[in-house]
Amino acid sequence: MPDTIYVLNGPNLNLLGLREPEIYGHDTLDDIAGRLEDRARELGLEIDLRQSNHEGHLVDWLHEAQAREARAVLLNAAGFTHTSVAIHDAIKAVRTPVIEVHLSNPHRREAFRHVSLVGQAARGTIAGFGALSYMLALEAAARI
C-alpha cells in the first residue's frame, strides 16, 4: 500500500457544508473526497479517507497507516488538534509522514486554537485555504 495517502478527519467534520459555513465553507467531506480522489488518480496515488468523532480511532488509523506502509497521512484532527497528547504521541511514534490540514486558519481564530499539539509533531501544516487546503496537502504528500 505504499501508493496510498490516508486522509484522516476528526470530530464534527462529518458536518462540513452545514456547520458554520462562514468559517468552514459549503463543501461537504464527500465533495472534498471526490476532488482528492480525482487528483490522486492523476498522481498515481490512492486515497483512503476516513472520519471519526473518536480520538482513539485517529490514533489507531495512524498506526495502521504505518503498518500498511502508506506514503503519507493528511490529518485534520479538528478540535483534537489543540488537546490531544495521544494523537501528538502517535504521530511521533510512526515513521509515516503526517501533514496537518485545516480548512480555516487557527491563528486568526480564538486564542485556544493557536497552539497545535498535532502541528508540533507533524511534518508540516497547511491551513486557511478552505477545501483547497486538502488539495495542497495532497500535492505535498505526493512529493515527499
Side-chain angles (χ1 to χ4, degrees), residues 59 62-63 84-94 117-118 120-121:
V59 170
L62 286 163
H63 296 176
S84 181
V85 173
I87 293 173
H88 170 276
D89 289 351
I91 294 167
K92 292 194 69 130
V94 300
L117 299 180
V118 168
Q120 291 173 18

Side-chain angles (χ1 to χ4, degrees), residues 18 27 33 45 50 75 85 89 95 103-105 111-112 114-115 128-129 138:
L18 302 172
D27 288 312
L45 301 169
R50 303 172 186 195
L75 173 60
V85 173
D89 289 351
R95 292 178 307 279
L103 296 159
S104 68
N105 180 350
F112 70 85
H114 296 179
V115 175
F129 297 101
L138 177 61

Side-chain angles (χ1 to χ4, degrees), residues 7 9 13-18 24-39 41 47 49 103 130-132 134-135:
V7 182
N9 294 279
L13 291 170
N14 56 307
L15 300 176
L16 282 180
L18 302 172
Y24 301 109
H26 294 280
D27 288 312
T28 66
L29 198 54
D30 285 342
D31 295 335
I32 293 168
R35 288 195 295 274
L36 283 170
E37 288 169 355
D38 289 345
R39 181 63 181 136
R41 255 190 309 281
I47 295 295
L49 188 138
L103 296 159
L132 180 60
Y134 283 89
M135 301 303 290

Side-chain angles (χ1 to χ4, degrees), residues 69-143:
E69 299 180 351
R71 178 180 290 216
V73 173
L74 311 185
L75 173 60
N76 185 342
F80 293 137
T81 297
H82 321 287
T83 63
S84 181
V85 173
I87 293 173
H88 170 276
D89 289 351
I91 294 167
K92 292 194 69 130
V94 300
R95 292 178 307 279
T96 308
V98 175
I99 300 171
E100 178 185 35
V101 178
H102 294 289
L103 296 159
S104 68
N105 180 350
H107 298 288
R108 296 190 69 195
R109 300 188 58 201
E110 303 92 341
F112 70 85
R113 297 185 194 275
H114 296 179
V115 175
S116 171
L117 299 180
V118 168
Q120 291 173 18
R123 172 88 175 256
T125 300
I126 298 176
F129 297 101
L132 180 60
S133 292
Y134 283 89
M135 301 303 290
L136 295 170
L138 177 61
E139 295 293 334
R143 288 166 174 72

